[in-house]
Amino acid sequence: MTACPWDDWNHILKIDPDKELPEGVTYGDLCATGTDAIEVGGTMGITEENMEAVVDACAEHDVPLYQEPSSPDVVIDNRALEGYLIPTVFNAGSPFWITGAHKEWVRTDGDMDWDRTWTEAYIVMNPEADVAEYTEADCDLGPDDVAAYAEVAERMFGQEIVYLEYSGTFGDEEIVEAAGEATDETTLFYGGGIHDYDSAATMAQHADVIVVGDLAHEEGVEAVRETVEAARDA
Ligand SMILES: CC(C)=CCC/C(C)=C/CC/C(C)=C/CC/C(C)=C/COP(=O)(O)OP(=O)(O)O
Ligand SMILES: O=P(O)(O)OC[C@@H](O)CO
Ligand SMILES: [Mg+2]
């Protein structure tokens, strides 16, 4: 595996272990959509058990799997995972979601798997999303604020991934564009409200990787496939 496999990705499917799949859709079907990687994670209702169940269901299919834990106590030890993408929320209201949870994780784990652990510098933008409430994020940010956070993440904190997170709603294109322009080496992830070819294409112009979440749970395979195609075409 290369050091930063996401350099070559266009599309991630994020599967929430707390949410059902549409009728007739299997995890295998989702793995076969052509997405470059699967992230397993969500904010609410996450347990080790539901995490394990999704990872096991995806394990036999040929797509890189990553866990994105929302807290240290749901991190699972499963060899089917390529590794762990650990959020750090740059605009969180409490330092707990920037470095505090991380400190507790390392303090209590005792045997960190650093070769399989990376961080994602989140900028949380939808105040209605669970993740915004959970982390008390300051979402009142303009393009200049977001661009500056992205640049700080890359240049001052050496982050390999900046994640512009609009979870549940389609973001402001001007803001995503600003983040794209502010980042150079860093891989920019965009997630939120992507629901078809055009919405995927719009954000894929500005972000390096688009993340599709709820669509998989709400619409299913064909809709996800369209977004994969748009990400590749961009
Ligand atoms: C240190 C460790 C191991 C964990 C802490 C990691 C941190 C800082 C988590 C805070 C941010 C967070 C909850 C990330 C989880 C991924 C995410 C943003 C999921 C999307 O959430 P929503 O779409 O708002 O939630 P639901 O879909 O579950 O309602
Ligand atoms: O569920 P959606 O709105 O597609 O968002 C994707 C992802 O960014 C959520 O963490
Ligand atoms: Mg969600």
Side-chain angles (χ1 to χ4, degrees):
M1 187 171 55
T2 58
C4 298
W6 40 85
D7 283 352
D8 303 321
W9 296 348
N10 301 306
H11 187 282
I12 294 172
L13 188 60
K14 191 181 284 192
I15 301 182
D16 187 330
D18 186 43
K19 291 180 185 160
E20 306 284 316
L21 299 188
E23 209 177 303
V25 174
T26 66
Y27 289 107
D29 297 335
L30 292 176
C31 293
T33 50
T35 190
D36 296 304
I38 289 184
E39 268 191 296
V40 188
T43 302
M44 307 309 284
I46 306 300
T47 63
E48 281 181 273
E49 289 70 32
N50 61 21
M51 275 284 184
E52 288 281 5
V54 174
V55 171
D56 287 343
C58 295
E60 61 197 84
H61 305 279
D62 194 25
V63 59
L65 283 178
Y66 291 81
Q67 188 186 9
E68 188 187 51
S70 50
S71 70
D73 53 296
V74 301
V75 176
I76 60 172
D77 184 10
N78 188 316
R79 294 315 296 182
L81 293 169
E82 299 294 319
Y84 306 93
L85 294 172
I86 309 296
T88 170
V89 180
F90 269 45
N91 59 330
S94 151
F96 186 76
W97 301 113
I98 309 170
T99 53
H102 314 72
K103 181 268 288 177
E104 279 305 296
W105 185 35
V106 172
R107 187 178 69 79
T108 55
D109 182 280
D111 184 26
M112 296 294 299
D113 189 353
W114 288 121
D115 290 341
R116 294 201 298 150
T117 303
W118 299 273
T119 53
E120 299 167 314
Y122 263 80
I123 307 166
V124 171
M125 295 299 291
N126 175 13
E128 309 288 318
D130 285 334
V131 64
E133 214 169 300
Y134 190 64
T135 63
E136 299 165 77
D138 172 14
C139 303
D140 189 16
L141 304 174
D144 55 337
D145 296 304
V146 171
Y149 267 133
E151 198 168 330
V152 165
E154 175 173 342
R155 298 287 178 173
M156 300 179 81
F157 288 82
Q159 295 295 294
E160 286 163 3
I161 298 168
V162 168
Y163 191 140
L164 197 49
E165 171 65 294
Y166 278 92
S167 183
T169 192
F170 193 63
D172 179 335
E173 193 184 340
E174 193 195 339
I175 290 185
V176 186
E177 183 177 22
E181 282 168 1
T183 45
D184 178 17
E185 300 278 293
T186 293
T187 302
L188 179 65
F189 288 11
Y190 167 84
I194 291 177
H195 56 276
D196 58 8
Y197 186 96
D198 288 344
S199 54
T202 299
M203 291 314 185
Q205 287 177 276
H206 308 299
D208 299 302
V209 180
I210 56 165
V211 185
V212 169
D214 289 347
L215 192 68
H217 297 279
E218 288 163 9
E219 297 293 333
V221 179
E222 276 314 314
V224 173
R225 248 195 219 118
E226 263 185 47
T227 66
V228 171
E229 224 171 278
R232 290 216 181 123
D233 293 347

